[in-house]
Amino acid sequence: HVGVVLVADGSPSASDLSDALRGRPALVVIDGVDRLSQAERDQLSARLRDADGTAVVLTTTAPEAALGILHDARRAAVPPIDIDTTATRVTADDTTDSTEVTA
């Protein structure tokens, strides 16, 4: 199964993180980690450290926030994927030249 936490303007509760990691999910997605306080980032890192075998996807507008969490969780260093949401999207009906294609 997949665990998901959406960090909106308010911070997720500890139970949100626990629920997402309950049952050893194959994948956990945490959206908006840049909105977490440092204490919440520390707690998340500790929980991810204990979630051995679970793949992790973190979204952020500040890559250093996600990289810090992954480092503190003793996860392998990975390069961030920068997705520019302002890029022109190309559809099957569009002939606009772009480097990004939505399939």
Side-chain angles (χ1 to χ4, degrees):
H1 75 277
V2 176
V4 177
V5 177
L6 302 175
V7 182
D9 291 332
S11 297
S13 68
S15 66
D16 291 336
L17 295 173
S18 294
D19 289 346
L21 292 168
R22 183 171 289 123
R24 306 255 256 190
L27 172 67
V28 66
V29 178
I30 303 172
D31 179 45
V33 296
D34 52 305
R35 295 183 186 125
L36 297 174
S37 69
Q38 187 58 52
E40 291 165 329
R41 291 177 191 183
D42 292 343
Q43 181 183 53
L44 175 57
S45 293
R47 289 174 183 255
L48 292 177
R49 217 176 5 257
D50 295 337
D52 190 37
T54 298
V56 178
V57 174
L58 304 176
T59 69
T60 180
T61 58
E64 63 278 358
L67 294 172
I69 290 167
L70 294 173
H71 176 267
D72 293 346
R74 298 185 187 117
R75 298 286 178 136
V78 294
I81 299 171
D82 186 8
I83 300 174
D84 183 0
T85 59
T86 62
T88 303
R89 297 187 185 276
V90 177
T91 63
D93 298 328
D94 195 353
T95 58
T96 305
D97 191 21
S98 175
T99 57
E100 182 177 348
V101 176
T102 304

